[in-house]
Amino acid sequence: MAVGDEILESFDDMIRRVEFRYGIEKIKVVVIEDIPQLTISFTETKPVKFGPFPKEASFTVPVWLMKVLKAKGYVVVHRDEKMDDVLQPSSDKNLVPIPGFFYNKTIDWLDTVERLTEKGMVSDQMGKRLRSRFLSFFDIRLKQILNSLSLPMSSLAKILTQEEQVVIRHVHGLIAAWEKAVFKRGAR
């Protein structure tokens, strides 16, 4: 296996771990289509009954269950979960902490806005504006992270989300390997 393949495999494994941890977090949802009583079966326990829930009900569930219910068209993420306040432009050029699982939560929120737009409950313009704000935020945040790479990983980890930490751990490793290779050549 080539070094590049090992790095990508390690990266994918770490991202899957973050996704798993996010999946067991709790998230508030709102019902957009009546949910009948559902039976959820797990391999090693007896089935669990869930529901029924009427349209417009709201409750908190694990993210993995929200994704199942959302895929079936029953729920969307509740507006209490939106990350719009973080997407506001900041005049601060320094990297500041943002909420955990920020990217996952924002993507779930943007998906909710898209679903509500399809149902005519949110304007198309609003959806485009939120997506644009997220992309602008992402661009600024990435530049701030890259400008902060000289910080020790222990300090940087305190202000990065779980998703960002995965990327930066790999970038730090690549930079260290590059420095070692460069200085090794210079020592000859």
Side-chain angles (χ1 to χ4, degrees), residues 4 34 36 38 44 55 57 90 98 105 110 126-127 129 154 168 182 184 188:
D34 289 342
L38 303 173
E44 297 174 9
K55 190 174 184 175
S90 171
I98 57 176
K105 289 178 180 179
L110 290 172
M126 172 66 85
R129 188 170 62 232
S154 59
I168 295 310
V182 167
K184 185 178 177 183
R188 290 184 193 175

Side-chain angles (χ1 to χ4, degrees), residues 11-26 62-67 70 101-108 161-164 166:
F11 179 79
D12 286 345
D13 181 55
M14 290 174 76
I15 287 292
R16 278 193 299 274
R17 290 171 191 248
V18 170
E19 292 288 327
F20 178 79
R21 286 192 305 268
Y22 175 60
I24 57 177
E25 290 283 309
K26 302 285 187 175
V63 168
W64 69 264
L65 182 54
M66 175 275 296
K67 290 183 180 287
K70 188 170 67 168
F101 302 110
F102 170 80
Y103 298 96
N104 287 302
K105 289 178 180 179
T106 301
I107 295 301
D108 283 337
T161 67
Q162 295 86 337
E163 302 97 331
E164 292 167 342
V166 170

Side-chain angles (χ1 to χ4, degrees), residues 13-178:
D13 181 55
M14 290 174 76
I15 287 292
R16 278 193 299 274
R17 290 171 191 248
V18 170
E19 292 288 327
F20 178 79
R21 286 192 305 268
Y22 175 60
I24 57 177
E25 290 283 309
K26 302 285 187 175
I27 194 164
K28 191 172 183 181
V29 297
V30 63
V31 177
I32 57 171
E33 294 293 332
D34 289 342
I35 301 175
Q37 184 173 39
L38 303 173
T39 302
I40 302 173
S41 298
F42 299 98
T43 56
E44 297 174 9
T45 60
K46 66 181 190 175
V48 175
K49 303 273 188 219
F50 179 81
F53 293 99
K55 190 174 184 175
E56 298 182 14
S58 62
F59 49 89
T60 302
V61 295
V63 168
W64 69 264
L65 182 54
M66 175 275 296
K67 290 183 180 287
V68 170
L69 295 171
K70 188 170 67 168
K72 293 187 175 288
Y74 290 132
V75 301
V76 292
V77 176
H78 195 281
R79 69 175 173 256
D80 290 352
E81 300 288 346
K82 66 185 177 182
M83 295 283 167
D84 291 1
D85 55 332
V86 177
L87 296 177
Q88 297 300 325
S90 171
S91 59
D92 190 2
K93 297 213 183 263
N94 295 324
L95 192 60
V96 296
I98 57 176
F101 302 110
F102 170 80
Y103 298 96
N104 287 302
K105 289 178 180 179
T106 301
I107 295 301
D108 283 337
W109 174 246
L110 290 172
D111 183 58
T112 289
V113 170
E114 189 174 298
R115 287 178 186 259
L116 295 175
T117 299
E118 290 169 1
K119 290 185 162 285
M121 300 168 78
V122 172
S123 74
D124 189 43
Q125 183 180 26
M126 172 66 85
K128 287 178 182 176
R129 188 170 62 232
L130 288 173
R131 187 165 297 281
S132 176
R133 281 185 28 216
F134 172 66
L135 293 174
S136 294
F137 170 85
F138 180 77
D139 184 51
I140 291 168
R141 181 78 175 175
L142 184 57
K143 288 174 185 167
Q144 290 172 331
I145 291 170
L146 292 174
N147 287 336
S148 301
L149 281 176
S150 61
L151 293 173
M153 189 59 196
S154 59
S155 299
L156 201 50
K158 294 175 184 174
I159 51 180
L160 297 176
T161 67
Q162 295 86 337
E163 302 97 331
E164 292 167 342
Q165 288 178 30
V166 170
V167 173
I168 295 310
R169 287 189 195 285
H170 281 82
V171 170
H172 263 260
L174 289 171
I175 290 173
W178 177 64

